[in-house]
Amino acid sequence: MDSIIVEELTRDQARAELARLSDVLAQANDAYHGADAPEISDAEYDRLKLRNAAIEARFPELKRSDSPSDQVGAAPSSGFGKITHAVSMLSLGNAFEDEDVAEFAQRIRKYLGLDASENVQFTAEPKIDGLSLSLRYESGKLVHAATRGDGSTGENVTDNACTIDSIPQEISDAPDVLEVRGEVYMSHADFEALNVRQTEAGEKVFANPRNAAAGSLRQLDSKITKSRPLRFFAYAWGELSTPLAQTQMGAIEKLASFGFEINPLTKVCDGPTSLVAHYRTIEAQRATLGYDIDGVVYKVDRLDLQARLGFRSTTPRWAIAHKFPAELAWTRLEAIDIQVGRTGALSPVARLAPVTVGGVVVSNATLHNEDYIAGRDSKGVEIRGGKDIREGDWVQVYRAGDVIPKIADVDVTKRPDGAAEYAFPATCPECGSDAVREEGDAVRYCTGGIICPAQAKEKLKHFVARKGFDIEGLGAKQVEMFYEDSELPIREPADIFTLARRDADNGLTKLKNRHGWGAQSASKLFEAIEEKRKIAFGRMLFALGIRHVGEAAAKDLALHFGEWHFLKEAAEGARAAALAWRAADEAEEAERIAAAREGRRGRIKETRDGAMARCAVPMGSKVAWEDLVGIDGIGASVAMSLTDAFANTHERAAIDRLVNELEIAPPEAPSQESPVAGKTVVFTGSLEKMTRAEAKARAESLGAKVAGSVSRKTDILVAGPGAGSKAAKAAELGIKILDEDGWLALIEGL
DNA sequence: GTGCCTCGAGTTCC
DNA sequence: CTCGAGGCAC
């Protein structure tokens, strides 16, 4: 019966299948916990569990009281395996106006150092509104297909991709390694027909072709995917053993010769004017194309120029997406709610009468902050013509970047009588503490700290999130539940690691007797927690959720200090210097304001030095502060935040309690073999063969220290084109200077 | 001081 | 995904 797809099960079959799955899964659970029943693989377990959930979704009335879906802590991770892309799948920068296109072309000319007489050609093609897919062929055979995922790792959907007609499973005369990238989509006609079939079968209908395509490609049962009419346009590539061509257009034509469908509206243009002209042509045909597009993509045609232009952190410099104007819809704003984030930031959210915009029903929209509601942007410039937003207003909604709902306009003529200007709360709606907004800040923050339940809960959610401790079975929902719990509460991170101990005081009975929990789910959670008791330094620091200490800063700090107690000592030691710095900063700010008021030029430098001096900072503290802000990527505000965290009695105590429970693993010791191990390296100018982030990560993995500025301690300066004062200073100090190729040759041992 | 570029934080919907 | 702001180069 396992072979019958869920959509084809009869009622009786479904009932029997649910009984069988409940049995098999219960046995699997026992096996997992050491009983002597036969074991099944994790993947199989997840598959069965998903099948169970799918049947329950189709026949809710047949759901069993002992349903495996209700077992907490044993949730399936995902039915698909992960695939790491050999070459990451990046997103594109956006252009909205014609002048953005001209700027894009101009930027490229400038970067390449071209003069007016030299021409750059581009390709222009419709941007298909579907999902991107990467197909890997080895010796002409399709070996796997992966979704974009987060850009570096996607899901393995090979079986499903094989069901798509326009994806060849074998290619003759292909390079040994060929990764083809393109868009999976569904045509309007196929989408309509599918929804008719869905309605007839009593299944849910899809909101738009994109969702239908996404839902179909991510079916665990490829038989379902096969029944869905998906199509594929090829437009790019990843890893290649031999180049496809010398131009973008040539490469696309080559893909067509391999048997892929390419978009017929792809065209070579010789500059921004003809790009925009082709954009208008495509826009005019939009309604009759038969599939959804959301803009036009422009790429530099010559591949050697693409290589020279390279990448910024997340986007290529040589391509841009020219988006069509966003769809707009009018609806009524029912209320303005305030949410409190983990940093205490108060964010207003608009509750809307549900409205369809861009094929999706929207009922919330972000309102950013106080000024945005009042009709001003961050620089105090009027937006929406200076119209403020009030509860009860008719508002025009759009989805920024086709995702985030925002408010474009307000119809003041329809404003209800007596609607008052929105009064942003001056106290936290969750805990009642004062909510303050610092001069120059856009955001108002709750001052309750960990006293505020909203902040505490959000901090805990951040702590257990995927990039933090990532404890299986302890997600946002469970955190909410445990926070409110009176018997076994989790109110701070350390509580997670004392949970089993606290339950043990009662013979491990508290958790397993709770509704929705059993002996198995309880012990599974305890095991998952134990697994994370040993944790990487950087991950742990990030999980703490200290303001301004994100993933990158946490990693930098962990690498610099290596051990927790060194970081702790620096953060504590730097306190006096940090306070002096803050005092100086405030004095400077006050002086600037006073100077502006009196219409004179402030003697800022002097005020600042005076304030620093008055604080009489001990030498040791100055050294600790310099140690912190001397780290590449760590500035005064991150350092300030760190010393704040360690100086706050409550926070400090909570951190200590947590550290006592953990085994913090130092960052991986960088290899000592490499020619740059232990050397301090500085990158300057623009890098052409790698992004700064890549260069830095690579150097660090080889044991080098990457600094931001040249000093006597610098060993090597890597200078790209456009290097300025740093190169001069390095030369002056007699420091070894390499160009990018020289550096690569050094680290690759050539 | 100005102008990139990245990172951090917050957000929605499936 | 977008915005704001931190960090850094010029």
Side-chain angles (χ1 to χ4, degrees):
Chain A
M1 194 184 297
D2 200 16
S3 57
I4 304 176
I5 67 172
V6 174
E7 294 182 348
E8 288 171 359
L9 283 171
T10 66
R11 224 184 130 79
D12 285 342
Q13 284 173 329
R15 183 181 290 116
E17 183 71 347
L18 284 177
R20 185 184 73 91
L21 287 170
S22 161
D23 237 38
V24 174
L25 289 167
Q27 262 190 43
N29 274 336
D30 286 344
Y32 186 91
H33 295 287
D36 53 357
E39 230 176 298
I40 60 172
S41 72
D42 282 0
E44 178 69 358
Y45 179 91
D46 286 351
R47 192 184 69 83
L48 293 178
K49 201 148 175 184
L50 279 165
R51 182 169 168 84
N52 184 75
I55 300 174
E56 282 174 356
R58 187 157 166 237
F59 300 100
E61 70 283 4
L62 294 182
K63 186 171 170 184
R64 300 167 60 94
S65 58
D66 64 349
S67 162
S69 313
D70 293 340
Q71 309 269 334
V72 191
S77 42
S78 158
F80 296 105
K82 298 264 178 263
I83 286 182
T84 302
H85 301 297
V87 178
S88 357
M89 296 179 78
L90 297 152
S91 48
L92 296 178
N94 291 321
F96 295 97
E97 312 292 337
D98 294 356
E99 54 211 74
D100 297 337
V101 179
E103 272 171 30
F104 164 68
Q106 194 49 45
R107 229 173 16 243
I108 283 170
R109 306 189 68 86
K110 192 176 158 199
Y111 196 95
L112 293 173
L114 301 179
D115 63 45
S117 65
E118 288 167 292
N119 200 24
V120 181
Q121 292 205 312
F122 299 87
T123 58
E125 67 195 293
K127 185 173 192 301
I128 314 297
D129 193 12
L131 353 34
S132 34
L133 188 68
S134 181
L135 307 166
R136 186 179 175 92
Y137 294 83
E138 286 173 10
S139 311
K141 287 207 168 53
L142 177 65
V143 292
H144 68 229
T147 60
R148 181 177 179 280
D150 64 2
S152 64
T153 308
E155 284 178 330
N156 183 345
V157 292
T158 313
D159 291 347
N160 293 342
C162 287
T163 70
I164 300 174
D165 290 340
S166 39
I167 294 180
Q169 295 190 32
E170 244 176 282
I171 302 173
S172 43
D173 301 328
D176 288 344
V177 177
L178 168 68
E179 281 187 4
V180 177
R181 288 172 181 179
E183 202 83 355
V184 172
Y185 69 101
M186 195 180 281
S187 74
H188 291 156
D190 288 337
F191 165 72
E192 308 286 345
L194 173 63
N195 267 352
V196 170
R197 289 207 305 275
Q198 292 285 103
T199 315
E200 282 166 358
E203 301 283 337
K204 69 157 193 175
V205 296
F206 292 100
N208 54 54
R210 210 198 86 85
N211 284 358
S216 302
L217 190 69
R218 295 192 73 261
Q219 287 291 329
L220 286 170
D221 186 343
S222 60
K223 289 190 199 109
I224 300 180
T225 311
K226 195 170 172 58
S227 73
R228 304 276 173 82
L230 295 174
R231 299 172 187 219
F232 180 81
F233 274 133
Y235 56 72
W237 55 90
E239 194 183 349
L240 297 172
S241 52
T242 44
L244 293 173
Q246 293 185 346
T247 60
Q248 179 75 28
M249 196 67 204
I252 291 174
E253 281 161 356
K254 185 92 182 181
L255 291 177
S257 79
F258 289 151
F260 290 96
E261 268 181 50
I262 59 167
N263 194 288
L265 289 168
T266 310
K267 188 186 165 193
V268 178
C269 301
D270 61 7
T273 315
S274 60
L275 285 174
V276 170
H278 193 51
Y279 171 91
R280 301 267 177 261
T281 309
I282 291 173
E283 191 178 29
Q285 295 181 43
R286 191 177 179 188
T288 55
L289 283 176
Y291 48 84
D292 278 347
I293 61 174
D294 55 4
V296 180
V297 176
Y298 308 140
K299 291 175 183 167
V300 170
D301 192 38
R302 270 174 54 184
L303 300 184
D304 59 325
L305 294 186
Q306 287 189 6
R308 272 177 63 192
L309 286 157
F311 299 88
R312 301 196 317 188
S313 69
T314 58
T315 58
R317 286 196 189 84
W318 41 266
I320 199 166
H322 190 177
K323 296 298 214 53
F324 293 133
E327 200 181 305
L328 298 160
W330 285 96
T331 188
R332 217 175 87 94
L333 187 154
E334 314 271 14
I336 295 175
D337 280 356
I338 300 286
Q339 292 180 347
V340 182
R342 77 178 153 89
T343 57
L346 267 54
S347 343
V349 182
R351 305 294 178 202
L352 307 167
V355 61
T356 303
V357 41
V360 174
V361 178
V362 164
S363 45
N364 298 302
T366 174
L367 293 172
H368 292 301
N369 56 48
E370 212 163 338
D371 286 348
Y372 186 86
I373 296 175
R376 285 187 297 276
D377 73 5
S378 60
K379 292 175 193 85
V381 179
E382 283 190 355
I383 50 172
R384 299 186 301 268
K387 286 184 266 186
D388 67 315
I389 298 170
R390 305 184 185 187
E391 293 186 326
D393 268 341
W394 278 89
V395 293
Q396 196 180 35
V397 182
Y398 69 104
R399 298 205 305 152
D402 282 330
V403 182
I404 314 284
K406 296 179 77 167
I407 296 193
D409 199 6
V410 178
D411 188 345
V412 284
T413 64
K414 286 194 184 165
R415 180 165 282 172
D417 293 334
E421 207 168 311
Y422 180 70
F424 204 91
T427 56
C428 171
E430 301 281 342
C431 73
S433 304
D434 285 344
V436 300
R437 184 175 168 191
E438 302 283 341
E439 180 94 31
D441 257 1
V443 181
R444 192 175 277 272
Y445 288 95
C446 161
T447 55
I450 48 178
I451 295 158
C452 176
Q455 279 190 58
K457 274 189 262 188
E458 293 304 315
K459 269 198 133 156
L460 278 168
K461 284 183 201 168
H462 173 79
F463 186 83
V464 300
R466 208 154 48 90
K467 290 181 170 178
F469 274 67
D470 192 20
I471 295 168
E472 206 183 326
L474 193 65
K477 250 198 181 143
Q478 303 304 327
V479 164
E480 288 272 349
M481 189 206 79
F482 276 113
Y483 189 86
E484 309 291 348
D485 200 293
S486 53
E487 270 190 325
L488 279 177
I490 294 177
R491 303 262 160 77
E492 60 172 60
D495 292 345
I496 294 170
F497 294 95
T498 60
L499 191 69
R501 220 180 301 149
R502 283 182 285 145
D503 202 11
D505 295 343
N506 247 4
L508 283 171
T509 54
K510 281 180 180 163
L511 185 56
K512 73 177 184 190
N513 290 335
R514 189 144 321 169
H515 177 73
W517 290 79
Q520 269 146 32
S521 46
S523 63
K524 197 159 183 184
L525 174 64
F526 292 148
E527 274 172 37
I529 291 171
E530 284 312 309
E531 262 176 45
K532 298 294 159 81
R533 210 178 268 279
K534 183 173 179 191
I535 186 105
F537 187 175
R539 197 174 254 263
M540 181 265 175
L541 183 56
F542 170 69
L544 290 179
I546 295 166
R547 184 131 81 115
H548 296 142
V549 182
E551 214 184 344
K555 222 174 110 197
D556 289 348
L557 287 162
L559 206 65
H560 180 83
F561 288 107
E563 283 180 48
W564 174 255
H565 71 100
F566 288 132
L567 168 71
K568 188 175 87 169
E569 280 152 21
E572 286 169 348
R575 187 61 183 162
L579 288 175
W581 182 86
R582 176 176 283 167
D585 199 53
E586 280 167 4
E588 183 184 321
E589 192 61 32
E591 167 67 13
R592 184 175 302 150
I593 291 166
R597 202 170 26 237
E598 293 158 28
R600 64 181 163 82
R601 294 178 67 123
R603 305 201 319 180
I604 288 164
K605 216 47 207 166
E606 223 163 85
T607 315
R608 187 176 187 140
D609 290 344
M612 274 296 246
R614 271 196 301 284
C615 288
V617 180
M619 197 54 204
S621 185
K622 250 186 196 153
V623 171
W625 176 257
E626 295 298 331
D627 191 18
L628 278 170
V629 296
I631 303 168
D632 189 28
I634 306 293
S637 72
V638 177
M640 193 74 223
S641 254
L642 262 181
T643 69
D644 275 349
F646 280 88
N648 177 312
T649 332
H650 293 294
E651 206 169 341
R652 171 59 200 275
I655 292 174
D656 284 346
R657 281 193 291 273
L658 172 68
V659 171
N660 273 335
E661 296 292 330
L662 300 176
E663 187 188 332
I664 300 170
E668 225 166 277
S671 136
Q672 296 306 311
E673 304 291 300
S674 80
V676 294
K679 299 267 166 70
T680 298
V681 184
V682 175
F683 292 96
T684 187
S686 46
L687 303 174
E688 292 173 344
K689 302 219 164 112
M690 49 198 169
T691 65
R692 285 190 99 76
E694 270 167 11
K696 189 174 167 190
R698 183 99 184 263
E700 280 168 352
S701 75
L702 291 169
K705 238 179 171 174
V706 177
S709 56
V710 174
S711 72
R712 224 163 299 261
K713 281 190 272 178
T714 310
D715 297 301
I716 303 169
L717 180 83
V718 182
S725 60
K726 277 188 190 173
K729 187 169 176 191
E732 196 181 303
L733 292 169
I735 289 163
K736 184 170 174 184
I737 301 177
L738 294 173
D739 62 9
E740 207 176 344
D741 288 329
W743 163 253
L744 288 172
L746 175 66
I747 60 176
E748 281 160 10
L750 300 174

